[in-house]
Amino acid sequence: MSWASDWDVVIGLEVHVQLATQSKIFSGSPTAFGAEPNTQASLVDLGMPGVLPVLNAEAVKMAVRFGLGIDAEIGRKSVFARKNYFYPDLPKGYQISQYELPIVGKGHVDITLDDGTVKRIGVTRAHLEEDAGKSLHEDFQGMSGIDLNRAGTPLLEIVSEPDMRNAKEAVAYARAIHALIRYLGISDGNMNEGSMRCDCNVSIRPKGTEAFGTRREIKNVNSFRFIEKAINAEVEWQVEQLESGRKIQQATVLYDPATNTTRAMRTKEEANDYRYFPDPDLLPVVVSEAFIEEVLRALPELPEAKRARFISEFGLGDYDAARLVGDKDLAQFFETAVQAAGSANAKLVANWTISELLGRLNADEKEITDSPVAAGQIGGLVARIADGTLSSKLAKTVFDALWNGEGPTADAIIEARGLKQVSDSGAIEAIVDKVLAASAAQVEDYRASDESKRKKKLGFFVGQIMKESQGKANPQQVNEILLRKLGG
Amino acid sequence: MHRQTLAALSRGLAERRHSSVELTRHFLDRIAAHDPGLNSFITVTTESALTSAAEADKRRSAGEAGPLLGLPLAHKDIFCTTGVRTSCGSRMLDNFVSPYESAVTARLAAAGMVMLGKTNMDEFAMGSSNETSFYGPVKNPWDTTRVPGGSSGGSAAAVAARLAPAATGTDTGGSIRQPAALCNLTGIKPTYGRVSRWGMIAYASSLDQGGPMAQTAEDCALLLSAMSGHDPRDSTSLAEPVPDYTATLGDGLQGLRIGLPKQFFGAGLDAGTERCVREAIAVLEKLGARVIDVDLPNLDLSVPAYYVIAPAEASSNLSRYDGVRFGHRCANPQDLTDLYERSRSEGFGAEVKRRILVGTYALSAGYYDAYYLKAQQVRRLIRDDFVRAFRDVDVIAGPVSPTTAFRLGEKTSDPLAMYLADIYTLAVNLAGVPGMSVPCGFDGGLPVGLQLIGNYFSEGKLLNVAHRYQQETGWHTRIPEAYA
């Protein structure tokens, strides 16, 4: 990027997380995804005359869990406010949200950058609010359909400080939030179903200056990949504007993946005046010290703590540890596998999990929870590598067999196919002798070559021996015996 | 039968002197005969009333004996009633048949009461004269050229003319007390949170409170005991236990401390009204009460504070009427903006529009602090005034309205004059304390109301004072001649 030496990029994220409560935030309707339109909308969700909201206590608990998970101040008294605007999928003509007094105050999230360093990103606040419904613009002969199933779904809006300096950091932050909400069990984090959505505030300023440039907000980005692409596209656009002498207007924009460009929806002048005021139908939410204590006690180990533990307890490298804790299910998988393999083999388990298993899963677009190879199976496989039963080549064969469901455990597959590595030196010696006897010309050639060329020529014999042993001969022993015999 | 109080009719039912069906038919007949001249009902539910009455009679034969079982009443058309049009006095909801039942009407129905119909009201409860209704103004039975007061004007006129023995009302800034005063009824606005707002169409949520309008304090006590109580569907509803308000009606008034705020007897108060109110206080003194001067220094700020807070909340509460899901929708909308603009400009009347605009302005960026926030601060001062006053007195007494019923059309062109008529009632809603109106005399043939205001949850005391007063006086028993 040619401009990189001239401009600083400043990014702040607003992440909307759908909380995994059974019912909506202000009504008893269920929150399940994918139901027939308007079958999960009650009188309250429809905004009928005379109905009133009642706060779902579980949503408050989840918000407090999040607050404690990012080491934030918990609002001892938070207030719901009405955000007033007209839209057909907003039944009451206002959204109940929090404005001046949010439930979660200042906190922070640590992200691990590509080079392994850790950067702290500030969280300004997080507040509870209700989601709107959905407008459907197809299939209604020129009219729009309204589905209010989603109306009233509890959301936690997490607002970061403008602490990120490039798209990769923004993605790392979004991933950290994603990991956190899944660890905390407050959201399924499913981005395809809209359980987590991101608004990215982006501005640029001349390198080395302090004052923020005018920001534009990219609305509703719903995948990590698009966060990166959308921010980069937006930055390119802003640089081009400023470098060609134009000004940037504060605006809300949408990212179009098809063209990889951002396009303005509305400018500041067209923005709504939301006329926030405290919702008189709801009382202030008072959170007691005892409640906070109770929530705190029930917190699980969180990604940062787990990462540190993986490094200290298992000796994992920064990258592997960060990779494994990035997803709650993956971390859980890893720990189960380590239990099966023995903790002395944790690094080997990490290698196999990350490079072999995740590689295969990615290629098949599968999640760790859908893995055909179970954690215990990987652990059992690694144990056999560690004790010398399997060479890495044989191990791959066993892994494939496990992947294809050809046996219940690595041991069973090894047994059934006789894949055990041969480490009996007598047996290996016999094979070596047989191969050398059948390759007299090559032996002579080898012995006539000088030291520098011998190494390459040795490969021929190793290949023949491994073939003869069906890959089962212990490679290290083969090497030793072969050198002894050839060296004479 | 229609000259009897709810309590007397209840005894009649218990003693089998009349059935619920007979009672119900009698009042339905009176509505048919007299309401065309008063316009106090928007909807008369003849069929369902007779069905519920027959049901109540059956329950009584089966041995049930609740005090309200089989008694008819009318509901202000602000309470949602299943399967019945609930218009809120607005064209916007002229076609709205509620799919659910309000807490108040459900509680009274469960007690066996029979709904005669839904009464006329100022549109969305915004008004003090019942002239803003889409269904036309209600006439005061005491003088049909005059207003019955508002916004519960239909309920007031219906009970005053004995087309119903009692009715429900709601009070956001005096909407139970002022029409009760202007129509010679007894009405009580309970402590905010005492009566559930579930299913009561919102005007200004932090001020709205439902309550009974009837002939006597005893009738109000009967009704309020049934209407009150915690409702988990209303987060502002209070968990405080509900006493039997009829149990303390007869308590003596010896040593009762009555506060008289000088702000209730200043300029603007009609001489005739003042005379009646002072005479009523003298009666209470005779019963053993002691009069003490109290100060409500911020009372004059209640009009500006109310007319910022109530419209602000209303502007938001009425946003749901957008022509999308229910209510009035304009014909052939061109696009979304057209749908909103025409549905709302056709559906709402002038006063509602005025308050939506005022409220929208008061909440706008740049004005919020100067108007809404300032008004909330004033509200706190007014509340503090009452809290301070109730350290020294048990009840506060004064007028309900500065004048008797004014002429239809007299104040419609001057909203400010109309708003100022609420000077004695608004502060009670802003503070959230209970207040009631009790008939205390006539001036020029028109009824005058005494206002009694109590501390939080002192409804029992207010009803007790009013009941003892009514045992000494006969004002509340007077019925307009044409409807006797």
Side-chain angles (χ1 to χ4, degrees), chain B residues 211-465:
Chain B
M213 303 173 77
Q215 300 164 42
T216 64
E218 185 185 14
D219 289 359
C220 283
L222 275 171
L223 290 167
L224 189 60
S225 296
M227 291 166 77
S228 302
H230 181 242
D231 182 352
R233 296 167 300 180
D234 174 1
S235 308
T236 63
S237 144
L238 295 157
E240 203 76 11
V242 182
D244 174 2
Y245 294 117
T246 60
T248 48
L249 286 173
D251 290 0
L253 301 188
Q254 287 77 17
L256 180 84
R257 298 166 302 168
I258 299 180
L260 293 191
K262 60 172 179 281
Q263 289 82 4
F264 273 11
F265 296 93
L269 178 60
D270 261 16
T273 299
E274 179 167 2
R275 176 179 47 78
C276 294
V277 169
R278 289 205 185 272
E279 280 171 14
I281 291 161
V283 171
L284 293 174
E285 282 185 282
K286 240 193 288 169
L287 289 169
R290 198 150 50 84
V291 168
I292 298 168
D293 285 334
V294 292
D295 195 14
L296 299 175
N298 296 294
L299 190 85
D300 60 330
L301 294 176
S302 60
V303 177
Y306 176 90
Y307 280 100
V308 169
I309 292 168
E313 292 181 8
S315 71
S316 175
N317 282 335
L318 271 61
S319 292
R320 69 189 61 200
Y321 309 109
D322 57 5
V324 174
R325 295 166 317 285
F326 46 73
H328 178 73
R329 173 187 282 208
C330 67
N332 307 315
Q334 298 306 298
D335 55 25
L336 186 58
T337 310
D338 186 42
L339 169 72
Y340 284 155
E341 287 182 358
R342 280 200 292 130
S343 298
R344 287 169 67 82
S345 29
E346 293 164 8
F348 292 138
E351 184 59 28
V352 170
K353 285 177 193 162
R354 175 166 20 241
R355 294 195 196 188
I356 289 175
L357 288 173
V358 166
T360 301
Y361 184 82
L363 290 174
S364 298
Y367 298 102
Y368 179 86
D369 289 357
Y371 293 104
Y372 184 78
L373 208 60
K374 184 66 80 183
Q376 289 290 14
Q377 287 162 349
V378 168
R379 179 177 190 172
R380 171 54 72 107
L381 293 178
I382 290 168
R383 190 197 80 103
D384 291 347
D385 284 354
F386 278 103
V387 169
R388 206 177 306 110
F390 283 122
R391 284 191 204 128
D392 302 324
V393 300
D394 302 305
V395 296
I396 288 172
V400 173
S401 163
T403 65
T404 52
F406 46 91
R407 289 193 187 282
L408 285 157
E410 189 180 323
K411 295 186 182 177
T412 41
S413 57
D414 185 357
L416 206 56
M418 190 81 92
Y419 297 171
L420 283 168
D422 299 332
I423 176 82
Y424 304 128
T425 48
L426 299 177
V428 168
N429 299 80
L430 290 167
V433 294
M436 74 182 291
S437 177
V438 186
C440 70
F442 283 78
D443 179 31
L446 294 169
V448 174
L450 165 72
Q451 183 169 215
L452 297 173
I453 302 165
N455 208 341
Y456 299 98
F457 299 108
S458 68
E459 288 84 358
K461 177 54 69 187
L462 295 182
L463 291 162
N464 162 223
V465 175

Side-chain angles (χ1 to χ4, degrees), chain A residues 275-456:
Chain A
R275 309 189 313 281
Y276 281 100
F277 75 106
D279 191 329
D281 288 331
L282 291 160
L283 304 175
V285 180
V286 176
V287 177
S288 72
E289 214 59 50
F291 180 76
I292 292 174
E293 274 301 312
E294 182 196 317
V295 175
L296 196 57
R297 267 199 304 275
L299 281 193
E301 183 185 36
L302 296 177
E304 265 310 294
K306 205 181 274 286
R307 195 181 67 88
R309 182 167 63 80
F310 280 8
I311 292 169
S312 65
E313 190 178 329
F314 300 135
L316 300 192
D318 289 336
Y319 173 82
D320 283 0
R323 184 77 179 85
L324 289 171
V325 303
D327 180 85
K328 185 185 73 160
D329 296 321
L330 180 58
Q332 179 61 48
F333 184 98
F334 168 72
E335 292 212 73
T336 310
V338 168
Q339 262 172 20
S343 55
N345 301 319
K347 277 176 90 160
L348 200 51
V349 173
N351 286 343
W352 271 81
T353 305
I354 294 172
S355 44
E356 206 60 39
L357 180 64
L358 289 185
R360 286 289 282 273
L361 289 171
N362 283 343
D364 280 18
E365 296 186 350
K366 281 195 164 91
E367 298 295 319
I368 187 74
T369 44
D370 308 325
S371 171
V373 185
Q377 293 177 317
I378 286 280
L381 173 64
V382 168
R384 294 292 86 82
I385 300 167
D387 70 9
T389 308
L390 294 176
S391 64
S392 58
K393 189 158 178 243
L394 279 178
K396 285 197 173 135
T397 308
V398 175
F399 177 84
D400 284 344
L402 287 169
W403 180 274
N404 294 322
E406 291 163 11
T409 62
D411 286 346
I413 291 165
I414 291 165
E415 185 64 37
R417 304 200 186 171
L419 290 176
K420 214 168 229 176
Q421 175 168 268
V422 176
S423 302
D424 169 355
S425 56
I428 294 175
E429 198 157 338
I431 296 171
V432 172
D433 287 344
K434 190 179 167 194
V435 167
L436 293 183
S439 323
Q442 284 86 347
V443 171
E444 210 156 306
D445 176 47
Y446 176 89
R447 288 191 173 136
S449 307
D450 54 40
E451 198 65 30
S452 63
K453 293 193 175 155
R454 280 184 172 188
K455 206 166 193 174
K456 205 175 159 195

Side-chain angles (χ1 to χ4, degrees), chain A residues 46 48-50 53 82 84 91 273, chain B residues 100 199 235 316-317 320 325 365:
Chain A
L46 287 165
M48 280 284 166
R82 293 185 183 176
N84 295 284
D273 175 356
Chain B
Y100 78 109
S235 308
S316 175
N317 282 335
R320 69 189 61 200
R325 295 166 317 285

Side-chain angles (χ1 to χ4, degrees), chain B residues 82-106:
Chain B
T82 311
V84 176
R85 172 175 60 181
T86 300
S87 74
C88 223
S90 181
R91 181 183 184 195
M92 184 57 90
L93 292 179
D94 184 47
N95 65 0
F96 178 67
V97 175
S98 175
Y100 78 109
E101 191 78 15
S102 78
V104 163
T105 52

Side-chain angles (χ1 to χ4, degrees), chain B residues 62-142:
Chain B
E64 267 191 64
L68 298 174
L69 180 61
L71 291 172
L73 93 165
H75 286 306
K76 185 175 182 177
D77 205 18
I78 199 168
F79 291 103
C80 286
T81 42
T82 311
V84 176
R85 172 175 60 181
T86 300
S87 74
C88 223
S90 181
R91 181 183 184 195
M92 184 57 90
L93 292 179
D94 184 47
N95 65 0
F96 178 67
V97 175
S98 175
Y100 78 109
E101 191 78 15
S102 78
V104 163
T105 52
R107 276 172 173 273
L108 294 175
M113 295 200 84
V114 174
M115 176 173 79
L116 295 168
K118 310 286 296 282
T119 59
N120 204 343
M121 56 181 284
D122 278 303
E123 184 178 7
F124 283 103
M126 299 181 193
S128 312
S129 67
N130 218 113
E131 293 169 295
T132 71
S133 170
F134 170 63
Y135 300 92
V138 178
K139 317 281 170 54
N140 190 322
W142 292 94

